[in-house]
Amino acid sequence: MSSAPLIQGIHHISAISGSPKVNFDFYTQVLGLRFVKKTVNFDDPFTYHLYYGNHHGSPGSAITFFPWAHVVQGSPQTGEATATSYGIPFGGLEGWQEHLLRQGVSFEGPFDQFGQKVLELKDPDGLQIQLVEDAGVSGVEHPHLEVLDESSAIRGFFGATLDVADIGPTAELLEAFGWSFEAEESGVHRYRAPGGHGIGKVIDLVQQTHGEGSFGKGTIHHIAFRVPNEEAQAAWVDQLTHMGFSPTPVQERFYFKAIYFREKNGILFEIATDEPGFTADESIEELGSSLMLPAWYEPHRTKIEQALPGLKAPIARY
Ligand code: ZN
């Protein structure tokens, strides 16, 4: 088997939402994430592709949405990622409870999971979100934001939950990525990326809690894992092929290069490069401020801009 480099964490998570305006307000004003990229679905330029992350839009912080105002309601299902979790500093949940009450957003908890304090809530489309107090994320640089202060603000993903029919094959794949089993609690099997602390380092495997759900808003389309560059990605294409998977050809996503494959429980996995990142076409200061279009749609910019619903300026200013 070839020696592909270990996979250091989650790169991004992509999900389906309803109204882009409602999605935008929730992720910027309730979760306090930065709006890092406003672009369109490359296959359908009259639909947004919205990205929210931390200040730098670092790999391991970005959740992306394809918002379709009239899409059917989805429900979580086995063979899918069913929850995203965000890492906040140790002690930060107190500030979150006050903030969510002020925003009129209901939540459950805090409760204890693997010795960490966790709060659970849902986004407006029903996507399950956890906020996890994690001392390991406090080192992630965090500039001033207006929504939540430094003691509470999200630093990036803590991890994600995958609902599987059989834990074995997905666990084996994570182990091939270089991840290791950490602990099991109440049916949740926790795997951790090499290097331990930081953002996007945890995958929780849960065996069949959801059964047959359906695709639609409030569901996660795929989860992407990170590699530094195209060379590492190519090594993974070889390795995955040797392991019996069928990765796609490399897809140009402008901010990263992507390959996709279905792991053995049916979850769509992506392997994405850290290079070039979200600063490929905007500076750190400008991230998310303009509608970014691929070159082939530029001649149609006016028509596209007129067709897309307006999103007001993010509340967090830089
Ligand atoms: Zn993706």
Side-chain angles (χ1 to χ4, degrees), residues 18-72:
S19 156
K21 174 77 172 70
V22 171
N23 177 263
F24 177 82
D25 287 351
F26 180 84
Y27 282 88
T28 58
Q29 293 174 39
V30 176
L31 289 193
L33 293 174
R34 184 172 187 189
F35 187 44
V36 293
K37 197 62 70 181
K38 176 163 66 171
T39 183
V40 294
N41 183 338
F42 287 180
D43 302 317
D44 170 15
F46 297 101
T47 301
Y48 276 127
H49 191 188
L50 305 176
Y51 293 70
Y52 311 94
N54 65 13
H55 175 68
H56 292 95
S58 317
S61 77
I63 188 158
T64 93
F65 287 93
F66 291 106
W68 285 299
H70 305 295
V71 73
V72 295

Side-chain angles (χ1 to χ4, degrees), residues 11-14 49 64 221-224 253 256 258 260 270 272:
H11 185 281
H12 66 270
I13 291 173
S14 288
H49 191 188
T64 93
H221 183 258
H222 65 265
I223 177 165
R253 297 295 184 232
F256 47 87
Y260 304 84
E270 174 183 342

Side-chain angles (χ1 to χ4, degrees), residues 298-310:
E298 274 299 343
H300 310 291
R301 173 176 283 275
T302 307
K303 201 173 151 199
I304 291 170
E305 284 184 333
Q306 283 168 354
L308 291 168

